[in-house]
Structure formats: structure tokens, C-alpha cells
């Protein structure tokens, strides 16, 4: 009798495992024919060696020999990225002295430009006089190939969204200041609904929390929203249930951890799309903006993958998907 019940328990466990497999496997999932969405990090910009990089490293001083004339976070670089096939462009914003948002990455100006101090020390008009190509060098300061070519190229967020009214952007709040989330919400709240629906905002927990309070339907991402969704989904996703924490957000999933997600990739992406959440696959373990930047990187992307992919070199990889 004991053996009979033991066999029934084993069969029951095997049945549960089979149901979980069928519910999260690709056997009964229609494979997508839609190519991945390409997310171009900072548009099309100069790339640099990652060896020994820290949070204080001036990346403009360590670029590779330039292969194109574009500078990150500028309208020409974004236009080129879209022309090459980018579906989304990521950009960085900083508040200015006159309460606008400048599109610029660094904490201070001296790495890339011919000025010192912080973006918030200058008006937008003053920032437009700077040369954003001033500090770039590929040979330890022997030559500066972009010096004099970046004058007037630092745009405001308003300029970018006016220039590309039909395009999708991922906006990065570079500060942990919650007031920047409130300020950005006030600006974005005045946009037409169709344009607002094309935007996603990410950054530190506090500004993103403040933004979301004012604009509850906008798609956002922070470390808090990412963890809340992924951990909740890990606990319940085997059933096919998508937790509320996963709604109206964006998930940047490192390729190292992606296979551990229930239903990865097809069912996971479909489930997230049903709750207005975009999935972006990032290279490696997700450190230091690792992207799918070479053909060797692209070969690691799952077959028939239809989510988004993060790249620093849209000029190299877009041709393989478009």
C-alpha cells in the first residue's frame, strides 16, 4: 500500500513538471516572425575600451579610432541611428539653470566639452555655445578629431522630441534627485498622448517613483521596478500569471540570466507585451551598458527572438535584422 501511494506521488509530481514544461515551453507557442527591436544607446556615438573603466572615467579620452563622424546624444547621431534601423534611441538628460532639460550624459562638462562645472550651472542657451566634441581623443591627446565640430550640438529634450515627433525614445534621468522626476513629469504631461505613449523613462528609484505618481500610465524602469517584477514573476510565472508589478514597465534582462525566466524567450515576451511591458536583452551580465555590438554578439541572440536588443553600434548590427 505504501508503495502504491509513493508511486502516485511520483506520478503526480511528474505530471506537475510536465504541465509546467508545456505551459512555459515553446512547443505550442507560435514563433514570431517579427525582427527584434533595436535600441541604440545614446544614438550613434563613439565607443571606447572598457578595460579598467570606473564611474569617474572620462570615456571621451579613450575612444577607439573613429569609424564615423557622429557624437552621442546629438540630433545628427539620433537621426543616423534611426536611418540605420534603430527602433528606439536612448538619451540622457540633465536639468539646466533655466529649468530646461539638456541632452547630455556626464556629471560634469570638462570631459567632453570646452567648459567646466555641471549642466545645471548653465542656461540652455549657454550650453548651446559649447563644443561637445572638444575632449575626444583616440591617441592619448595627440589629436582631437572632433574638436570644433561639436559646437551647438548639445540639444534640449524639447528640441529632440520636436525634431522626432513620431519616434520612440528611452529617456535616462541621470540623477537620483526626486525633484527631477517631478520636473520631467510636468514637461512630459504636456505632450500629445500619442507621443507620450512612445516614450519610456528610466533611472534611479526616487525620481522614477515621483514621475510614475504624476504619470501612472507611462512606461518606466528603475532598479526597484525591475526587481519587483522579476522576483514576483519568478515566483508565479510558471503558472503563466503576470504580476501587477510587471505592468507598464520596461525590463532590461542580461543574457546571462534570461534563460532562468519562465517561458523565455517567446512566452515571456508575449506575456509582458500583454501588460504593456517592453523586454530589452542586454549583453553579458548587464554591467557597464554592455551591448550586442558585433556579429559574434548577435549570434548569441535566441532564434526567432522578438524583443528588444541593446546596442552601442547600431551601424554594425542593424543590417542583420532589417
Amino acid at each position: 500500500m505504501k508503495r502504491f501511494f509513493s508511486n502516485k506521488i511520483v506520478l503526480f509530481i511528474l505530471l506537475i513538471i510536465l504541465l509546467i514544461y508545456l505551459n512555459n515551453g515553446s512547443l505550442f507557442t507560435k514563433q514570431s516572425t517579427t525582427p527584434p527591436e533595436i535600441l541604440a544607446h545614446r544614438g550613434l556615438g563613439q565607443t571606447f575600451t572598457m578595460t579598467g573603466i570606473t564611474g569617474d572615467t572620462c570615456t571621451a579620452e579613450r575612444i577607439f579610432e573613429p569609424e564615423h563622424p557622429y557624437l552621442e546624444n546629438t540630433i545628427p547621431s539620433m537621426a543616423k541611428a534611426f536611418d540605420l534601423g534603430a527602433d528606439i534611441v536612448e538619451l540622457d538628460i540633465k536639468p539646466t539653470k533655466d529649468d530646461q532639460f539638456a541632452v547630455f550624459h556626464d556629471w560634469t562638462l570638462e570631459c567632453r566639452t570646452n567648459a567646466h562645472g555641471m549642466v545645471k550651472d548653465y542656461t540652455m542657451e549657454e550650453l548651446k555655445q559649447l563644443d561637445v566634441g572638444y575632449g575626444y581623443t583616440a591617441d592619448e591627446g595627440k589629436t582631437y578629431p572632433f574638436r570644433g565640430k561639436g559646437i551647438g550640438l548639445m540639444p534640449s529634450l524639447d528640441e529632440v522630441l520636436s525634431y522626432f515627433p513620431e519616434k520612440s525614445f528611452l529617456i535616462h534621468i541621470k540623477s537620483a534627485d526626486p525633484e527631477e522626476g517631478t520636473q520631467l513629469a510636468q514637461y512630459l504631461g504636456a505632450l500629445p498622448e500619442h507621443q507620450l505613449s512612445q516614450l519610456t523613462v528610466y533611472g534611479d528609484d526616487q525620481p522614477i517613483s515621483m514621475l510614475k505618481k504624476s504619470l501612472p500610465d507611462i512606461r518606466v524602469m528603475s532598479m526597484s521596478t525591475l526587481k519587483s517584477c522579476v522576483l514576483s514573476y519568478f515566483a508565479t510565472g510558471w503558472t503563466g500569471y503576470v504580476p501587477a508589478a510587471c505592468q507598464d514597465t520596461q525590463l532590461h534582462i542580461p543574457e546571462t540570466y534570461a534563460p532562468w525566466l519562465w517561458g523565455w524567450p517567446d512566452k515571456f515576451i508575449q506575456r509582458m507585451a500583454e501588460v504593456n511591458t517592453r523586454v530589452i536583452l542586454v549583453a553579458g551580465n548587464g554591467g557597464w551598458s554592455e551591448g550586442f555590438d558585433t556579429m559574434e554578439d548577435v549570434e548569441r541572440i535566441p532564434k526567432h527572438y522578438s524583443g528588444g536588443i541593446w546596442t552601442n553600434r547600431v551601424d554594425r548590427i542593424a543590417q542583420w535584422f532589417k
Side-chain angles (χ1 to χ4, degrees):
M1 181 67 70
K2 223 184 251 190
R3 186 171 178 182
F4 172 76
F5 282 112
S6 177
N7 288 340
K8 287 189 74 173
I9 290 171
V10 170
L11 286 172
F12 178 75
I13 291 172
L14 289 175
L15 178 62
I16 292 296
I17 292 173
L18 177 62
L19 290 174
I20 292 174
Y21 171 78
L22 292 176
N23 193 41
N24 292 282
S26 58
L27 185 60
F28 299 111
T29 303
K30 184 178 180 180
Q31 291 184 329
S32 174
T33 57
T34 304
E37 287 189 302
I38 297 175
L39 194 162
H41 182 213
R42 306 186 205 171
L44 176 59
Q46 302 302 313
T47 51
F48 43 84
T49 175
M50 305 296 286
T51 305
I53 197 170
T54 70
D56 296 324
T57 301
C58 174
T59 57
E61 294 178 347
R62 55 193 291 151
I63 62 169
F64 297 119
E65 191 66 30
E67 297 177 29
H68 59 74
Y70 297 98
L71 298 172
E72 66 178 52
N73 280 315
T74 64
I75 286 178
S77 84
M78 297 173 198
K80 186 62 176 178
F82 285 126
D83 287 345
L84 289 167
D87 299 285
I88 312 159
V89 163
E90 188 265 4
L91 55 82
D92 307 292
I93 59 169
K94 295 284 183 61
T96 67
K97 188 176 181 179
D98 55 341
D99 296 324
Q100 297 190 56
F101 281 106
V103 179
F104 189 73
H105 175 271
D106 299 348
W107 287 108
T108 58
L109 293 163
E110 46 263 34
C111 171
R112 295 178 202 281
T113 81
N114 53 331
H116 294 273
M118 304 181 74
V119 169
K120 67 180 181 181
D121 299 328
Y122 297 79
T123 66
M124 194 65 234
E125 184 178 352
E126 291 169 337
L127 292 167
K128 296 292 285 184
Q129 311 308 311
L130 304 183
D131 180 1
V132 296
Y134 189 85
Y136 286 84
T137 179
D139 52 15
E140 299 182 338
K142 295 184 182 69
T143 61
Y144 290 87
F146 298 106
R147 187 165 286 185
K149 299 177 181 178
I151 299 171
L153 290 187
M154 188 190 301
S156 67
L157 179 60
D158 192 53
E159 286 179 281
V160 171
L161 297 184
S162 296
Y163 194 91
F164 302 102
E166 304 300 324
K167 297 296 187 180
S168 294
F169 288 94
L170 172 61
I171 300 171
H172 189 186
I173 300 176
K174 294 294 293 181
S175 164
D177 184 354
E179 290 305 312
E180 291 190 25
T182 301
Q183 182 184 346
L184 182 61
Q186 290 173 347
Y187 170 76
L188 296 180
L191 294 176
E193 187 175 340
H194 80 277
Q195 188 171 24
L196 188 61
S197 68
Q198 297 172 155
L199 305 179
T200 302
V201 183
Y202 78 122
D204 280 25
D205 293 342
Q206 288 189 315
I208 292 302
S209 176
M210 295 300 290
L211 175 82
K212 191 69 171 174
K213 284 179 182 178
S214 298
L215 297 174
D217 294 330
I218 194 171
R219 187 187 290 119
V220 299
M221 187 186 78
S222 68
M223 187 57 69
S224 176
T225 66
L226 179 63
K227 284 183 178 179
S228 181
C229 170
V230 171
L231 292 178
S232 300
Y233 182 80
F234 189 77
T236 64
W238 61 275
T239 66
Y241 173 72
V242 179
C246 294
Q247 188 165 353
D248 298 321
T249 187
Q250 181 155 305
L251 303 175
H252 289 190
I253 306 295
E255 62 172 320
T256 303
Y257 310 117
W260 295 97
L261 295 168
W262 298 108
W264 179 262
D266 299 325
K267 285 194 174 179
F268 179 78
I269 292 170
Q270 289 175 15
R271 288 167 180 169
M272 293 301 139
E274 289 170 0
V275 295
N276 191 38
T277 287
R278 179 188 286 136
V279 177
I280 304 293
L281 187 65
V282 298
N285 62 9
W288 289 106
S289 299
E290 293 179 77
F292 292 90
D293 299 337
T294 67
M295 195 55 216
E296 290 74 20
D297 295 333
V298 169
E299 288 173 351
R300 300 195 307 271
I301 297 173
K303 192 175 181 182
H304 303 296
Y305 175 77
S306 61
I309 56 174
W310 179 283
T311 184
N312 301 294
R313 291 302 303 261
V314 62
D315 55 322
R316 287 181 177 174
I317 72 158
Q319 60 182 315
W320 300 103
F321 301 106
K322 301 299 179 180

